[in-house]
Amino acid sequence: MERGTVVRITDVAALAGVAPSTVSKALNGTGSLRESTRAKVREAAERLGFVPDATARSLSARRSFTVGLLSTDSAGRFSLPVVLGAENALVGGELSALLATARHDPVREQHHVRALVARRVDGIIVTGRTTEPREPIRVPMPVVYAFAPSTNADDASVVPDDATGMRLLVEHLVGLGRRRIAYVGGRAEQAASVVRHDTLAAELAARGLELVGTPLYGDWSEQWGRRAVDAVLGWDVDGGAGASARAGDGAGVGGAAGVDAIVFASDQLARGGCDRLRERGLRVPDDVAVTGYDDWEVMSLASRPPLTTVDMQLERLGQRAAELLIAAIEGHPLHGVERLAPRLVVRASTLGDG
């Protein structure tokens, strides 16, 4: 057709040799049509450069073909990759995404929820900045929770499988011959700290081993990672150390406590821990192997040495949440918590430079 000519649905119908209503059904994925008919219509539409009217499509299907992505924070460290993964899947499903960030403010969150409902989105994905269970939102459309699960067991939630992640770390460390392993967590009341510690202790016990000392909890910060190293190895915070804890005194791997590995519950903690070990004259991993968690490359690759860690595959998690939402929108909802397996990322903090 001539440049600038508006292609109408009747033009596509004429080229494909079908009725205009058949074109509408074929392009909208509705009706009982043969696949050969749908293919013929799509080919005709592509040849003519036909662009469907989004408003007409929505009215015909009684859908908006938009999905809300509601983040409880500012789409930060954990929620951003979840959102990106979800958006990738939604685009593949010919859906548009509306992003709303609540910034951990319940009032702002309720405002965004009302706005998404008013826009008649087909569904909503809710994500957060921690894996702590959260209260569900009340809306008249399907909802899937990603990273931060719903407290309602009937809701669909996709979360990282932290237990599997810790098992991978234990297998790796024990396989390297590490036997005296200590644990440093973040906040004691948070699920990530607790699950990672409990799984670590259980996996070691199954191998006839036990954690060195008691688990240590504090902030999710490099500063706490540094201070925790002093506690693990028996140094006081002012810099003193017993004779057997000083580097180079022949005390063997791990100094006074005999620790040969420290499992940190996050990369941020582990980076601070590596810095402190180096300041105290201990070599990572020769004297003490170190592992992190999250594979936050800002921390894991910048650490000296780079960290062996666990990648929670957050983009894949977001993609899976979107897949579940699309299924629910199409009338096939799933319920309960789905745990997404992570992967182990091995680097120099356990293997060394060689």
Side-chain angles (χ1 to χ4, degrees):
M1 303 188 75
E2 295 181 4
R3 183 183 301 273
T5 301
V6 176
V7 180
R8 304 183 185 280
I9 196 170
T10 52
D11 298 321
V12 178
L15 181 60
V18 298
S21 60
T22 301
V23 173
S24 178
K25 293 175 183 178
L27 296 181
N28 290 331
T30 59
S32 300
L33 301 178
R34 294 178 181 177
E35 185 54 39
S36 58
T37 301
R38 294 186 190 277
K40 182 167 60 174
V41 170
R42 287 195 294 265
E43 181 182 352
E46 183 176 350
R47 183 183 304 178
L48 294 175
F50 175 69
V51 179
D53 185 304
T55 301
R57 181 188 182 208
S58 296
L59 291 173
S60 173
R62 296 183 180 179
R63 288 177 51 186
S64 67
F65 293 94
T66 59
V67 165
L69 296 177
L70 177 62
S71 171
T72 59
D73 66 357
S74 300
R77 159 68 189 102
F78 297 112
S79 56
L80 180 57
V82 172
V83 166
L84 291 176
E87 187 182 35
N88 288 339
L90 293 172
V91 169
E94 298 186 351
L95 297 170
S96 298
L98 298 175
L99 175 62
T101 57
R103 305 179 193 176
H104 212 59
D105 179 349
V107 175
R108 186 184 295 268
E109 178 177 300
Q110 285 304 310
H111 165 75
H112 286 313
V113 169
R114 289 192 297 270
L116 292 172
V117 172
R119 287 176 175 267
R120 300 188 180 185
V121 296
D122 294 333
I124 300 174
I125 295 174
V126 179
T127 186
R129 61 180 180 179
T130 74
T131 55
E132 298 302 303
R134 56 153 294 149
E135 289 296 314
I137 60 175
R138 307 295 180 184
V139 293
M141 64 271 297
V143 179
V144 174
Y145 298 83
F147 194 68
S150 170
T151 54
N152 187 339
D154 289 334
D155 289 334
S157 301
V158 186
V159 300
D161 189 346
D162 278 355
T164 294
M166 292 307 296
R167 292 188 192 104
L168 293 172
L169 284 177
V170 171
E171 291 174 2
H172 176 65
L173 289 172
V174 173
L176 293 175
R178 306 290 173 161
R179 298 292 183 271
R180 300 280 294 168
I181 300 173
Y183 175 77
V184 175
R187 295 185 182 277
E189 73 277 9
Q190 290 188 327
S193 285
V194 175
V195 171
R196 292 169 191 179
H197 163 265
D198 290 353
T199 305
L200 174 62
E203 288 298 309
L204 289 176
R207 294 166 170 77
L209 303 171
E210 61 181 24
L211 281 172
V212 175
T214 58
L216 298 173
Y217 298 101
D219 294 329
W220 297 98
S221 67
E222 290 181 71
Q223 182 181 14
W224 166 236
R226 292 165 58 87
R227 290 174 53 207
V229 163
D230 288 347
V232 167
L233 299 182
W235 287 308
D236 64 56
V237 295
D238 296 323
S244 63
R246 289 193 295 269
D249 66 355
V253 171
V259 172
D260 61 14
I262 304 177
V263 173
F264 291 88
S266 78
D267 294 337
Q268 197 163 0
L269 294 171
R271 181 178 175 181
C274 283
D275 286 347
R276 192 59 162 174
L277 287 167
R278 187 173 60 256
E279 290 169 359
R280 293 297 191 172
L282 293 175
R283 300 165 297 170
V284 178
D286 302 63
D287 297 324
V288 182
V290 169
T291 64
Y293 206 100
D294 303 333
D295 198 25
W296 184 14
E297 292 188 350
V298 170
M299 293 291 167
S300 61
L301 295 182
S303 177
R304 300 170 58 195
L307 295 171
T308 289
T309 185
V310 173
D311 176 8
M312 293 186 289
Q313 302 201 81
L314 295 181
E315 284 201 30
R316 177 69 186 93
L317 189 149
Q319 178 183 335
R320 181 56 181 159
E323 292 169 355
L324 293 181
L325 186 64
I326 291 171
I329 292 170
E330 295 175 348
H332 308 289
L334 295 178
H335 305 280
V337 177
E338 180 174 319
R339 302 187 185 280
L340 187 73
R343 69 184 183 95
L344 180 68
V345 181
V346 178
R347 298 192 181 100
S349 69
T350 57
L351 289 185
D353 294 330

